[in-house]
Amino acid sequence: MTELLKQVRVIDPGLETDEIADVLIADGKIQAVVTEISDISSDTQIKDCRGLVLGTGLVDLYSHSSEPGFEERETLSSLLQGAAVGGFTRVSILPDTSPAIDHPAIVAQLQQRGGKMGNIPHLHVWGAMTLDLAGKQLTELADLAAAGVVGFTDGRPWENLGFVRRVLEYLQPFGKPVAFWPCDRLLSANGVMREGTEALRLGLPPIPASAETSAIASLLELVAAIGTPVHIMRVSTARSVELIASAKGAGLPITASTTWMHLLLDTKAIKSYDTSLHLEPPLGNASDVEALRAGVKAGVIDAIAIDHAPYTYEEKVQAFAESPPGAIGFELALPLLWQNLVETGKFTALELWQALSTQPARCLQQKPSTIIPDQKTELTLFNPQEIWKVEKKNLHTLSSNTPWLGQEIKGRVVQIWN
């Protein structure tokens, strides 16, 4: 099928272009991107795309899959369907399934499942660093690398810096992304929200910013000593942004990401005690949110991750501190980020799209998609003006643990090409 997208707003972060154009797509490839196309064949399907945005396909760095092990929360099929509806053309799942993704056979099983699902997001799999994510015994790293994992992470805080050093030494030759979530569990203890006046007001156990920053500082020292490139996951504090900026300025081989909800909400939102706001790391104070936004705009924080984490209604309906941390995000991230950051002038469209598409791909050492002739189509078409209500019946993922449930939001993905 040949499609002509008429007068669509084309956003390509790799080319740094944001312009109105006609885009011709045929045989799975981009045929032309020009100001106006009039000479077309009679069988071309013409779409009036005035007011719509065509961008490179969105890429998620890391999210949680409930399959295998927790299919009552969500299946791999519904996860990928929800990601597609949200505009994502590549999804990378963390190894915290049950069993954990610590063996090549599990990698092959997930790749096979993902490959059967057709023209939806490409599924990538993070391999575990340690058996059962226990932080004690290394997995067969070479076998996992050969099986095609996108990179290595446990996605959990570490307890032993000596073991982290050993991991960095062993992983250096593989040349694949290595990701860590820096958090000192002894400092965070039983806390559930960021330390500050709001935590005192709400009577919830606090987590000091130093639980994150001290762990980042330790990791950076090891990177400086060993030289293995690392990705720092789930950055959530202003001081963390400063530490990462300083390390990048010194030439350390690091990249970093924050999650989409940490760019939108701060501790004031928790006054509702909505358990979908119980996150790890916790939402920051207002100063943290501003620093994270500035960090993304400046490129100190390379990418925005979704960190999609589905839970059942029964799991989330309990006291805030007792609920499991996490929220869904695939279908909500782009609309809410666009509405709150682009439409308000805090971000340009290019800055947001770069952090959701081009930069996550680079963090994964993948080639970013681009919108130029002869390239395979990996595209997201977005309507920033469509209004819809966030209800379980309107979500394609099985879970609905989100603080926006029941609210109307503006912006929805129309289609992806992949």
Side-chain angles (χ1 to χ4, degrees):
M1 183 176 66
T2 302
E3 298 172 274
L4 177 60
L5 310 184
K6 293 289 293 181
Q7 296 302 287
V8 67
R9 181 180 178 182
V10 179
I11 297 177
D12 189 333
L15 300 176
E16 297 187 353
T17 55
D18 182 352
E19 60 188 9
I20 305 297
D22 285 1
V23 179
L24 186 65
I25 299 171
D27 302 321
K29 285 189 175 182
I30 300 165
Q31 303 297 325
V33 183
V34 296
T35 303
E36 188 171 3
I37 299 174
S38 54
D39 185 15
I40 56 173
S41 61
S42 58
D43 61 346
T44 299
Q45 181 179 346
I46 301 174
K47 294 184 179 180
D48 183 353
C49 292
R50 284 173 291 188
L52 304 186
V53 174
L54 183 71
T56 49
L58 305 186
V59 179
D60 184 36
L61 268 174
Y62 45 86
S63 280
H64 303 264
S65 173
S66 297
E67 183 181 343
F70 305 99
E71 286 83 355
E72 68 278 6
R73 295 173 181 166
E74 183 174 66
T75 63
L76 189 61
S77 175
S78 70
L79 179 150
L80 291 174
Q81 188 178 13
V85 170
F88 290 85
T89 55
R90 306 180 203 178
V91 172
S92 302
I93 60 172
L94 291 166
D96 58 345
T97 52
S98 182
I101 306 174
D102 58 5
H103 191 277
I106 302 171
V107 177
Q109 177 189 1
L110 288 166
Q111 289 172 336
Q112 186 178 27
R113 289 273 293 127
K116 288 180 177 178
M117 295 177 190
N119 186 26
I120 53 176
H122 292 297
L123 178 68
H124 302 281
V125 179
W126 285 94
M129 293 176 180
T130 64
L131 289 175
D132 202 30
L133 310 181
K136 300 184 183 299
Q137 183 179 347
L138 287 175
T139 55
E140 294 295 335
L141 301 171
D143 290 346
L144 286 171
V149 296
V150 74
F152 294 96
T153 187
D154 276 1
R156 295 179 177 178
W158 63 83
E159 297 178 4
N160 185 328
L161 276 176
F163 195 81
V164 174
R165 178 184 173 92
R166 184 175 157 211
V167 167
L168 290 176
E169 290 171 341
Y170 273 90
L171 285 174
Q172 194 170 46
F174 293 104
K176 285 183 174 286
V178 180
F180 289 94
W181 172 29
C183 176
D184 188 317
R185 285 297 197 195
L186 294 177
L187 285 173
S188 62
N190 66 337
V192 294
M193 75 174 289
R194 176 70 65 228
E195 185 176 69
T197 55
E198 291 299 324
L200 288 171
R201 185 176 293 115
L202 297 176
L204 292 171
I207 298 176
S210 57
E212 177 173 293
T213 57
S214 61
I216 288 179
S218 299
L219 179 61
L220 293 175
E221 285 295 304
L222 291 177
V223 173
I226 298 166
T228 304
V230 302
H231 180 80
I232 300 173
M233 307 166 66
R234 302 181 178 126
V235 177
S236 70
T237 76
R239 177 60 181 152
S240 298
V241 177
E242 293 176 1
L243 289 170
I244 292 166
S246 178
K248 284 189 169 186
L252 290 192
I254 58 172
T255 56
S257 59
T258 188
T259 84
W260 71 285
M261 286 181 66
H262 286 85
L263 292 172
L264 294 179
L265 302 172
D266 61 31
T267 52
K268 293 184 181 66
I270 300 175
K271 65 184 179 181
S272 66
Y273 291 98
D274 186 331
T275 55
S276 294
L277 296 169
H278 180 194
L279 306 176
E280 280 190 332
L283 292 173
N285 294 308
S287 58
D288 296 316
V289 176
E290 290 305 311
L292 290 170
R293 290 177 178 179
V296 172
K297 285 174 66 71
V300 174
I301 304 299
D302 298 85
I304 301 170
I306 306 306
D307 208 8
H308 174 85
Y311 286 99
T312 64
Y313 175 82
E314 291 75 17
E315 287 175 303
K316 276 293 193 178
V317 179
Q318 51 184 313
F320 189 93
E322 302 301 321
S323 64
I328 63 170
F330 281 130
E331 297 176 63
L332 304 172
L334 177 59
L336 287 165
L337 288 168
W338 186 280
Q339 181 181 331
N340 289 279
L341 298 181
V342 176
E343 290 198 352
T344 58
K346 296 179 174 67
F347 275 46
T348 66
L350 267 174
E351 286 170 339
L352 177 62
W353 220 276
Q354 181 177 48
L356 285 170
S357 177
T358 306
Q359 286 301 97
R362 288 174 177 158
C363 289
L364 293 169
Q365 298 177 14
Q366 298 173 347
K367 182 180 179 181
S369 60
T370 189
I371 309 177
I372 58 176
D374 295 325
Q375 290 293 310
K376 290 183 178 179
T377 52
E378 189 176 347
L379 306 167
T380 297
L381 185 64
F382 174 62
N383 182 351
Q385 301 304 319
E386 181 177 342
I387 296 174
W388 61 288
K389 192 170 185 178
V390 182
E391 295 179 301
K392 192 170 181 63
K393 65 180 181 181
N394 291 332
L395 295 169
H396 292 76
T397 52
L398 297 183
S399 297
S400 55
N401 53 304
T402 172
W404 284 276
L405 190 66
Q407 297 183 28
E408 283 191 345
I409 64 173
K410 187 166 70 169
R412 203 165 199 184
V413 170
V414 177
Q415 183 179 352
I416 64 169
W417 290 261
N418 203 19

